[in-house]
Amino acid sequence: MEATGGYQRRLLAELLDRGLPAVAVNPRQVRDFARAMGTLEKTDAVDARLLMLFAERIKPEVRAQPDAQARRFEEVLSSPVGGDDGVGEEPSSAGADQGGASGHLRRT
């Protein structure tokens, strides 16, 4: 399956938990593969066929399912900035003025 901004995680985990071989691949790799095959059409049926051919010919590595703690860590890292738990919040402007990293960045 293609990686879809995190939406694939639950399905991938379920398939791997059931012992089924599954892998989430970078959509760009599949698109480049399709282009190399001369296919520019974009429909669900074409996508399904291309993913099947990609898997058959490229044979992406099926990795072991991460444990529950690793999956939770990944979820936290990929969650939007500014969530309720305070993880990943932007520093206050007062903190940035006191030597924060944003004071060393400049726009180009």
Side-chain angles (χ1 to χ4, degrees):
M1 72 185 73
E2 287 181 327
T4 56
Y7 294 108
Q8 79 287 349
R9 286 188 190 118
R10 193 174 202 178
L11 175 60
L12 183 61
E14 189 67 30
L15 292 171
L16 292 172
D17 285 345
R18 293 174 185 249
L20 297 170
V23 64
V25 295
N26 185 320
R28 178 176 291 270
Q29 289 178 299
V30 178
R31 189 171 43 248
D32 290 346
F33 177 80
R35 196 172 296 127
M37 298 288 295
T39 303
L40 301 176
E41 190 178 356
K42 185 83 170 133
T43 67
D44 287 345
V46 170
D47 283 351
R49 180 164 168 68
L50 282 169
L51 283 167
M52 180 193 70
L53 289 172
F54 182 86
E56 285 178 349
R57 296 187 181 165
I58 304 301
K59 298 183 183 349
E61 180 184 351
V62 177
R63 297 183 211 142
Q65 173 72 349
D67 62 22
Q69 183 178 6
R71 286 192 303 236
R72 175 65 184 133
F73 184 67
E74 184 177 291
E75 287 173 17
V76 168
L77 288 178
S78 64
S79 66
V81 174
D84 294 328
D85 60 2
V87 174
E89 285 186 13
E90 293 294 320
S92 68
S93 59
D97 292 339
Q98 297 173 1
S102 62
H104 299 284
L105 301 176
R106 65 187 133 120
R107 236 171 247 234
T108 57

